[in-house]
């Protein structure tokens, strides 16, 4: 047990080192983690490390889905709901059908049922890799929003296809009418259970006397409850977590205090980083184990099948994205859509951002070893090997070329929002004006007699003056009065922090009091740095 604990501590340290390397090389960290795991898998200390599918589905998946739902903008999700739904359900089914037909035709011993099983496994893209890359190269926000929304739902649809195909292989029976009916029941009931559990947690957080620490613990428990309740009744646990997470995310300002929101965001950011890091490293570690399990087929032939299926997936997704674009242009004549004319650049980029990830590998690993009376599950090891190659090729090949493609095509952002800088200026101007209105309406008499209120009023007047003339009189960074104010304020915060550390050495000051004010300075520095251009962030 002690050895296993030290082994996982070592893996986390390796993850940190690889992420730092990825940051240095300006490469998406999932790519480096998978390649690093691939190298580690051939070393003796880590050659035996294997993924337990139950560990992925029942420990890793619920919090990762919940965090993704929590970070997703409901407003953007609803705006692009049609294209998200199209990629989450119909295109997953189309991809599964294409993979089933191709594998049945070209791979000896592959039945249609096994083809659908493979199709259900490899059809869902992994949005963590795609969105990480897109944010690093400032891809259009509409593209990132669609990728995030798709990732929340396509895992559920692919796992449902996988479940029905697995049942068909095991029992040898498949009734289309029953499968279609069960498909919709699984989706609807999984969503309903997620919303119901979410409402229970909303009531607890909204009306019970909790603390920020309790709120964070409840937020960690919530996705597991949503997932387990849905799976216990054989409905979609993934959709349960997604729907419940979106509900609670949309209600966060009603049920959580400001401290719970700040502390919870930090905790969940750390949890998501560690879990994603472990998963991508474990994916790379699986190759030696999977290769050893290949029986009755050479590695070369299995590699050829893996490359072929990967090519089929890439081409199918590209064709589907262009077909969806054409369909959107046609439909826009009759019903309002978010983007009436998507063009060709956005569909090409979205189609290319189809890297596969952990859900695919976990699903493949969850295939049982035996069928019925001890009979080995047909083609299990080949399915595992093909799945790993699909993940490896799409992550590395598409992941490394996607940034180049985005920079080359330079797609325009069709989100129909103002430029970000202009949005910030308008928001800050309106906040300053509202602050002055509150002072005038509620503290009008006190302002003239209270120097502190007068100083506060002067501050908001200066901000309003600055933001009112922001576009009429552009400044360089050195001349910008607000920039000078922020840089000076940052320097003052650093000096105040040094002073507090010096005071902490004196016996008459309690360290808890000093830490309280150090925490306030950290919050102040965070606010100041968020307003600075990228070159001043470090």
């Amino acid at each position: 047990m002690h050895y296993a604990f030290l082994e996982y501590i070592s893996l986390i340290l390796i993850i940190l080192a690889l992420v730092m390397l990825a940051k240095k090389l300006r490469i998406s960290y999932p790519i480096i983690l998978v390649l690093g795991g691939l190298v580690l898998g051939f070393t003796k200390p880590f050659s035996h490390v294997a993924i337990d599918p139950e560990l992925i589905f029942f420990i890793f998946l619920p919090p990762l889905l919940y965090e993704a739902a929590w970070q997703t903008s409901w407003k953007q999700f609803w705006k692009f709901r049609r294209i998200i739904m199209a990629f989450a359900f119909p295109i997953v089914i189309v991809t599964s059908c294409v993979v089933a037909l191709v594998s049945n035709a070209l791979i000896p011993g592959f039945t249609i049922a096994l083809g659908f099983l493979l199709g259900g496994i490899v059809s869902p893209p992994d949005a963590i890799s795609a969105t990480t890359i897109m944010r690093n190269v400032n891809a259009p926000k509409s593209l990132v929003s669609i990728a995030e929304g798709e990732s929340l739902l396509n895992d559920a649809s692919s796992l449902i296809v996988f479940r029905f195909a697995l049942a068909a292989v095991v029992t040898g029976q498949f009734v289309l009418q029953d499968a279609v009916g069960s498909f919709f029941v699984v989706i609807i009931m999984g969503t309903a259970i997620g919303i119901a559990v979410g409402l229970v947690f909303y009531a607890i957080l909204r009306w019970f006397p909790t603390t920020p620490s309790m709120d964070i613990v409840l937020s960690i428990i919530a996705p597991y409850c949503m997932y387990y309740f849905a799976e216990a009744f054989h409905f979609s646990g993934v959709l349960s977590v997604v729907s419940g997470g979106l509900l609670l995310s949309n209600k966060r300002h009603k049920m959580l205090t400001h401290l719970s929101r700040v502390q919870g965001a930090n905790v969940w950011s750390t949890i998501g980083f560690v879990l994603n890091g472990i998963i991508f490293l474990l994916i790379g570690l699986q190759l030696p184990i999977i290769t050893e399990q290949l029986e009755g087929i050479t590695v070369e032939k299995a590699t050829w099948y893996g490359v072929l299926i990967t090519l089929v997936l890439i081409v199918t997704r590209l064709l589907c994205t262009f077909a969806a674009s054409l369909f959107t242009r046609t439909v826009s004549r009759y019903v309002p859509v978010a983007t009436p004319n998507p063009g060709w650049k956005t569909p090409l980029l979205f189609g290319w951002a189809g890297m596969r990830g952990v859900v695919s590998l976990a699903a493949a690993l969850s295939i049982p070893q035996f069928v019925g009376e001890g009979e080995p599950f047909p083609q299990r090891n080949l399915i595992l090997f093909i799945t790993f190659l699909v993940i490896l090729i799409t992550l590395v090949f598409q992941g490394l070329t996607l940034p180049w493609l985005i920079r080359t095509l330079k797609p325009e952002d069709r989100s129909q929002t103002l430029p970000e800088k202009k949005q910030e200026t308008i928001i800050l101007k309106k906040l300053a004006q509202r602050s002055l209105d509150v002072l005038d309406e509620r503290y009008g008499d006190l302002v003239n007699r209270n120097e502190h209120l007068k100083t506060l009023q002067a501050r908001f007047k200066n901000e309003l003056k600055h933001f009112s003339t922001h576009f009429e009189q552009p400044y360089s960074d050195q001349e910008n009065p607000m920039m000078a104010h922020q840089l000076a304020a940052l320097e003052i915060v650093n000096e105040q922090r040094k002073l507090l550390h010096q005071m902490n050495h004196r016996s008459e000051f309690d360290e808890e009091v000093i830490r309280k004010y150090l925490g306030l300075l950290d919050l102040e520095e965070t606010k100041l740095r968020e307003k600075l251009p990228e070159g001043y962030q470090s």
Side-chain angles (χ1 to χ4, degrees), residues 39-297:
V39 173
L40 284 176
F42 290 99
T43 63
K44 190 174 181 181
F46 298 102
S47 59
H48 64 285
V49 178
I51 289 180
D52 182 349
E54 290 189 3
L55 190 72
I56 299 297
F57 280 128
F58 294 103
I59 296 179
F60 282 60
L61 197 57
L64 287 175
L65 287 169
Y66 187 78
E67 191 216 3
W70 193 267
Q71 298 298 331
T72 298
S73 165
W74 174 253
K75 180 176 157 184
Q76 294 296 99
F77 184 88
W78 184 252
K79 182 179 180 180
F80 296 108
R81 63 191 180 280
R82 291 187 181 90
I83 190 166
I84 288 172
M85 291 296 179
F87 277 89
F89 295 104
I91 290 183
V92 165
I93 295 171
V94 168
T95 304
S96 300
C97 291
V98 172
V99 171
L101 293 173
V102 171
S103 58
N104 173 247
L106 299 179
I107 303 177
F110 245 69
T111 63
I112 286 289
L114 284 173
F116 270 106
L117 185 68
L118 178 61
I121 289 170
V122 298
S123 58
D126 178 80
I128 296 169
S129 311
T131 53
T132 302
I133 293 168
M134 289 177 189
R135 287 197 175 98
N136 286 343
V137 293
N138 294 321
K141 290 187 177 179
S142 55
L143 191 64
V144 179
S145 297
I146 294 170
E148 287 177 335
E150 179 202 14
S151 72
L152 288 175
L153 301 178
N154 61 21
D155 289 345
S157 54
S158 64
L159 289 175
I160 293 169
V161 172
F162 168 77
R163 184 186 297 179
F164 286 125
L166 184 63
V169 174
V170 172
T171 63
Q173 296 179 346
F174 181 79
V175 181
L176 181 61
Q177 185 176 352
D178 293 343
V180 171
S182 299
F183 183 85
F184 286 106
V185 170
V186 166
I187 290 173
I188 294 167
M189 292 305 298
T191 303
I193 289 174
I195 292 172
V197 175
L199 288 172
V200 171
F201 276 89
Y202 171 77
I204 295 171
L205 293 165
R206 181 82 163 84
W207 290 296
F208 282 71
T210 60
T211 64
S213 297
M214 294 169 68
D215 291 342
I216 293 169
V217 172
L218 285 169
S219 74
I220 294 172
I221 295 171
Y224 291 107
C225 292
M226 295 167 187
Y227 190 88
Y228 292 148
F229 272 117
E231 289 293 326
F233 294 101
H234 306 290
F235 301 129
S236 174
V238 173
L239 278 177
S240 179
V241 176
V242 169
S243 58
L246 284 172
L247 171 72
L248 293 179
S249 171
N250 199 39
K251 302 287 186 183
R252 72 179 79 181
H253 292 288
K254 292 183 178 179
M255 66 185 186
L256 298 175
T257 64
H258 68 287
L259 279 176
S260 296
R261 291 193 294 269
V262 171
Q263 293 178 17
N266 292 331
V267 170
W268 272 102
S269 175
T270 304
I271 290 173
F273 171 75
V274 172
L275 293 182
N276 280 315
I278 291 172
I279 284 173
F280 282 109
L281 190 72
L282 287 175
I283 288 174
L285 286 168
Q286 301 313 296
L287 180 61
I289 299 170
I290 293 171
T291 305
E292 288 174 5
Q293 294 174 346
L294 277 176
E295 295 175 358
I297 186 172

Side-chain angles (χ1 to χ4, degrees), residues 489-490 493 496 519-529:
L490 273 175
V493 165
Q496 288 176 333
L520 292 173
L521 289 179
D522 290 341
L523 289 174
E524 180 67 21
E525 181 173 355
T526 301
K527 288 194 296 184
L528 289 168
R529 289 194 180 277

Side-chain angles (χ1 to χ4, degrees), residues 398-420:
Q398 289 183 287
L400 290 176
T401 54
L402 182 59
W404 170 81
L405 199 60
I406 293 172
R407 285 192 291 265
T408 302
L409 295 180
K410 296 178 182 177
E412 56 182 297
D413 194 348
R414 298 172 180 267
S415 59
Q416 298 177 346
T417 58
L418 297 171
E420 188 171 332

Side-chain angles (χ1 to χ4, degrees), residues 13 18 152 190 192 216 248 251 292 298 348 385 409 414 419 454 483 532:
L13 291 174
L18 290 173
L152 288 175
I216 293 169
L248 293 179
K251 302 287 186 183
E292 288 174 5
T298 63
L348 176 59
F385 188 85
L409 295 180
R414 298 172 180 267
K454 197 177 291 184
M483 179 72 69
L532 291 173

Side-chain angles (χ1 to χ4, degrees), residues 295-425:
E295 295 175 358
I297 186 172
T298 63
V299 174
E300 290 77 13
K301 187 168 285 189
T303 302
W304 161 244
Y305 292 146
V307 172
L308 179 66
I309 295 298
T310 304
L311 184 63
V312 168
L313 287 169
I314 293 172
V315 172
T316 301
R317 182 172 173 86
L318 286 170
L319 291 175
C320 285
T321 55
F322 282 109
S325 175
L326 183 61
F327 178 75
T328 300
R329 290 185 63 179
T330 305
V331 169
S332 65
R333 300 173 187 171
Y334 310 102
V335 295
V337 295
T339 309
N341 182 18
W344 64 272
K345 293 182 180 180
T346 300
L348 176 59
L349 290 174
F350 190 60
W352 199 251
M355 291 80 83
R356 270 56 181 180
V358 65
V359 172
S360 295
L361 189 59
L365 289 167
S366 68
I367 297 173
Q369 296 272 2
F370 302 99
V371 180
E373 300 292 330
E375 182 183 348
F377 194 98
Q379 306 289 354
R380 181 181 187 273
N381 297 328
L382 180 58
I383 291 173
L384 273 171
F385 188 85
I386 291 173
T387 303
F388 179 85
L389 276 186
V390 167
I391 295 169
L392 182 65
I393 295 170
T394 55
L395 262 180
V396 177
F397 174 57
Q398 289 183 287
L400 290 176
T401 54
L402 182 59
W404 170 81
L405 199 60
I406 293 172
R407 285 192 291 265
T408 302
L409 295 180
K410 296 178 182 177
E412 56 182 297
D413 194 348
R414 298 172 180 267
S415 59
Q416 298 177 346
T417 58
L418 297 171
E420 188 171 332
K421 284 292 182 185
K422 190 168 184 178
Q423 290 183 55
E424 290 180 359
T425 300

